[in-house]
Amino acid sequence: MRDEVIKVGDKAPDFELRRQDGGLFRLYDILKEKNVVLYFYPKDSTSGCTKQACEFRDQYESFQEEGAEVVGISSDSIESHQRFEQTHQLPFKLLSDDDGNVRRLFGVPRILGLLPGRVTYIIDQCGMVRFVHNSLMKPLEHVSTALEVLQEINGELKKQTA
């Protein structure tokens, strides 16, 4: 496992985790089709995490239009993710990183050594990290900023192909 922080320009490490429906999710399988907005959050059903998940839900169609899939990761169990998804009608995948290995793989920090951090990554189809946003206390900022960055990336691509 690595302890260094993944930053813009780095190749995202591939990983496999269980989805809330019990199936397996592999990052590089999704990257064959879409960019990925990968967000690590502290805990299901807490105030900030619920606000963030619901904002991703409310903006989900916009992320889809920008060619991106939203994926949330916490150390909560699959059962907890199922309740969280059903309660808030979340249309995206929630992954259970119960041993914290993927969090460590990405170098997501812990706050005061205890609380899991809140970090969002945009990973393009080549596996390149294009954006990193680290802010525990501003969960909604992750959503709006990620959408803006995706729009900029797609704008750049349109200019290159024009």
Side-chain angles (χ1 to χ4, degrees):
M1 284 292 141
R2 65 194 288 153
D3 284 319
E4 63 207 56
V5 176
I6 298 291
K7 47 195 181 314
V8 172
D10 289 348
K11 184 98 170 151
D14 196 11
F15 64 86
E16 217 173 66
L17 285 176
R18 290 263 171 226
R19 299 184 310 248
Q20 73 266 34
D21 64 6
L24 272 180
F25 171 94
R26 184 168 177 255
L27 178 62
Y28 276 69
D29 287 346
I30 299 297
L31 290 176
K32 291 175 186 171
E33 301 167 21
K34 297 179 171 196
N35 296 326
V36 172
V37 176
L38 186 68
Y39 82 99
F40 290 86
Y41 65 99
K43 188 149 184 58
D44 289 344
S45 302
T46 57
S47 176
C49 296
T50 299
K51 286 177 186 170
Q52 183 180 26
C54 289
E55 186 66 14
F56 270 121
R57 175 200 65 205
D58 294 347
Q59 298 297 324
Y60 185 70
E61 196 172 298
S62 297
F63 281 101
Q64 294 280 290
E65 287 169 4
E66 293 298 329
E69 185 57 55
V70 175
V71 179
I73 298 180
S74 79
S75 60
D76 292 299
S77 68
I78 290 171
E79 295 78 16
S80 176
H81 283 337
Q82 289 169 342
R83 285 189 303 274
F84 192 47
E85 172 200 21
Q86 290 166 359
T87 300
H88 300 289
Q89 290 131 18
L90 304 177
F92 49 85
K93 292 166 183 58
L94 297 175
L95 307 180
S96 181
D97 183 26
D98 56 357
D99 57 10
N101 283 339
V102 174
R103 185 175 288 275
R104 283 189 292 281
L105 194 62
F106 276 78
V108 176
R110 290 191 159 275
I111 309 305
L112 303 173
L114 300 170
L115 189 62
R118 182 186 315 277
V119 181
T120 299
Y121 301 86
I122 293 179
I123 304 164
D124 70 18
Q125 289 184 263
C126 298
M128 181 77 58
V129 176
R130 300 290 299 267
F131 172 75
V132 179
H133 186 71
N134 181 353
S135 172
L136 183 65
M137 304 313 290
K138 296 181 180 174
L140 299 181
E141 199 174 85
H142 288 255
V143 182
S144 59
T145 309
L147 194 50
E148 288 170 18
V149 170
L150 275 170
Q151 290 165 342
E152 288 172 18
I153 290 169
N154 289 332
E156 290 170 16
L157 289 174
K158 286 176 188 166
K159 284 180 189 173
Q160 291 172 3
T161 57

